[in-house]
Amino acid sequence: MFLQKLLNLKNPPSKLSFCTFAYLRRNNEELAAHVFDQNAKRLQRERAVSASDVKLYDYLKSEIGYRLSDRIFDIKRKFTLAADLGTSRGYVAKHVSPSSVEELILCDSNAQHLKDIEVQDGIKIRKQIINEERIEFEPDSLDLVISSLTLHWINDLPGAFKRILHGLKQDGVLIAAVFGGDTLYELRSSLQLAELERRGGISPHISPFTHVRDIGGLLNTAGFTMLTIDTDEIIISYPSMFELMWDLKGMGENNAAISRELHLSRDTQFAAAAIYQELYGKFDEQKGSYTIPATFQVINMLGWKPHPKQPKPKERGSGQISLKDLHRLDEIIKEAKKIGSDDERN
């Protein structure tokens, strides 16, 4: 029964349930639980960006950055001042069009990231070193904040949302993407089963991620309105678990949880690789070898800072159609059109 529960790990504990995010209060001050070792994450990112083969590991972040930048075009507005929070190697910034943004602030905690970022001609740029744990923007200064694959490493995510809202003008918008709770569930379950077999217990080797069901509540609590939240699922095939783990290190997306173990024994690694292939591997007849899938769940979010002229939901009870009649919606629309045409003739 216990093994069956471990096998059903596509929905592991989220970042929120992992650290509970039940805020402690001391003298009416909210204190967020600490899940991630920020110094370790800083070193991981610095190592990744300074590697001579860094471009080999850009494929996933480049794809997600491109998809996120495309969402800016969906908003029929030109933003005067925007900030790219956690710009990294410019995965979003290089796709931002001057027809959408006049001036872009490139923000990152690593100065090395900001050196050689390319943006399209016609966009003014500024560069700003920023601590993602203590985001500081001028109050009511920004029309748009974009962030790709940065916010899921922040300990105080509710506080980060509040500080972003504080920096936005009224009717300003946040567009962001983070890894979700189903990310790397295959790797997580394989490592846990291997450790259970070899050591008789399990420890976290994959950082906890926020579930999509938590994001809406956090944005609402921070003060954002008119939320749009959806998910993408990107599945990438690798020859084995070892190539996947090597690429995660190259992306700077390896584990940074405070509770992580710093060493994973060789026998546990080989056992996990065998379990991964057995549970999830597929045989490629053309190549004559197995490949293993790795799932990356991406949560896309969009939220607006309140403005008096924004559309507001109708009052409760003002609806004219009951939800129980939704199955006959087509008939109701036809009846409404018929009544409207009869009124016009009369």
Side-chain angles (χ1 to χ4, degrees):
M1 185 66 179
F2 181 64
L3 285 176
Q4 185 61 38
K5 288 182 179 179
L6 280 177
L7 288 173
N8 186 25
L9 286 174
K10 187 169 181 179
N11 293 307
S14 69
K15 173 180 173 181
L16 290 183
S17 58
F18 182 84
C19 68
T20 71
F21 264 110
Y23 276 47
L24 302 175
R25 285 187 174 271
R26 185 179 64 196
N27 297 328
N28 292 324
E29 180 184 0
E30 289 186 344
L31 301 175
H34 283 270
V35 182
F36 301 118
D37 183 339
Q38 290 297 330
N39 185 55
K41 179 49 58 184
R42 178 181 58 81
L43 292 173
Q44 289 171 0
R45 286 174 168 171
E46 288 179 358
R47 233 180 351 250
V49 78
S50 61
S52 59
D53 58 350
V54 61
K55 292 182 179 179
L56 291 176
Y57 309 104
D58 281 348
Y59 56 91
L60 181 61
K61 292 188 174 182
S62 291
E63 175 64 22
I64 295 171
Y66 173 75
R67 295 186 185 189
L68 189 67
S69 66
D70 194 49
R71 292 172 181 260
I72 302 173
F73 301 140
D74 294 336
I75 302 173
K76 306 305 179 185
R77 176 192 301 183
K78 186 164 185 177
F79 298 100
T80 304
L81 182 62
D84 182 4
L85 181 60
T87 192
S88 189
R89 285 169 44 79
Y91 301 113
V92 181
K94 63 184 177 183
H95 298 297
V96 174
S97 169
S99 63
S100 297
V101 174
E102 290 184 15
E103 186 173 5
L104 182 62
I105 306 174
L106 304 175
C107 309
D108 203 277
S109 59
N110 189 337
Q112 184 70 22
H113 282 160
L114 299 175
K115 281 187 176 179
D116 303 314
I117 295 176
E118 297 180 0
V119 299
Q120 296 185 27
D121 292 339
I123 297 181
K124 301 175 186 176
I125 62 168
R126 289 190 237 159
K127 297 180 181 181
Q128 180 179 342
I129 303 296
I130 196 166
N131 179 0
E132 289 94 346
E133 287 286 349
R134 301 298 304 175
I135 298 167
E136 293 183 5
F137 293 121
E138 289 293 325
D140 304 310
S141 62
L142 301 169
D143 302 286
L144 167 68
V145 173
I146 48 180
S147 178
S148 181
L149 301 184
T150 295
L151 296 175
H152 58 268
W153 289 116
I154 294 177
N155 284 305
D156 184 9
L157 191 53
F161 283 148
K162 289 178 181 177
R163 288 187 285 273
I164 290 171
L165 186 80
H166 185 63
L168 285 168
K169 296 177 182 177
Q170 286 190 337
D171 208 31
V173 60
L174 165 68
I175 304 176
V178 298
F179 282 135
D182 288 347
T183 296
L184 298 175
Y185 73 89
E186 305 99 336
L187 178 60
R188 180 185 285 107
S189 59
S190 299
L191 287 169
Q192 288 181 338
L193 286 171
E195 281 201 315
L196 185 66
E197 176 195 353
R198 297 302 169 99
R199 299 178 54 191
I202 59 177
S203 58
H205 293 288
I206 308 296
S207 292
F209 297 114
T210 306
H211 276 298
V212 64
R213 62 177 175 265
D214 300 317
I215 291 294
L218 290 176
L219 288 170
N220 265 322
T221 301
F224 284 95
T225 61
M226 298 193 301
L227 306 181
T228 302
I229 300 170
D230 61 78
T231 61
D232 290 331
E233 195 172 80
I234 300 175
I235 300 176
I236 301 174
S237 295
Y238 294 90
S240 75
M241 184 190 80
F242 299 107
E243 284 80 6
L244 166 59
M245 294 177 72
W246 189 259
D247 276 17
L248 290 174
K249 182 179 179 181
M251 297 175 195
E253 291 293 327
N254 39 332
N255 190 10
I258 289 176
S259 58
R260 72 194 185 283
E261 289 197 8
L262 298 180
H263 178 69
L264 183 63
S265 65
R266 286 177 62 86
D267 63 329
T268 302
Q269 291 182 49
F270 283 112
I275 291 170
Y276 202 138
Q277 180 175 299
E278 181 66 26
L279 291 179
Y280 305 106
K282 296 180 181 178
F283 187 75
D284 189 328
E285 294 184 358
Q286 292 183 347
K287 295 182 179 179
S289 61
Y290 278 90
T291 61
I292 53 110
T295 299
F296 295 88
Q297 183 193 44
V298 183
I299 302 175
N300 303 295
M301 66 191 83
L302 184 151
W304 297 82
K305 185 168 182 176
H307 186 277
K309 294 184 179 179
Q310 286 176 350
K312 297 199 171 36
K314 292 186 177 295
E315 294 182 6
R316 187 179 181 88
S318 61
Q320 298 179 357
I321 300 174
S322 173
L323 289 175
K324 68 181 181 181
D325 294 326
L326 285 180
H327 67 283
R328 51 183 292 271
L329 186 59
D330 291 340
E331 298 176 25
I332 295 172
I333 292 173
K334 287 179 182 178
E335 291 174 4
K337 287 183 177 178
K338 184 179 178 182
I339 293 172
S341 60
D342 289 344
D343 289 342
E344 288 178 3
R345 284 196 294 269
N346 293 333

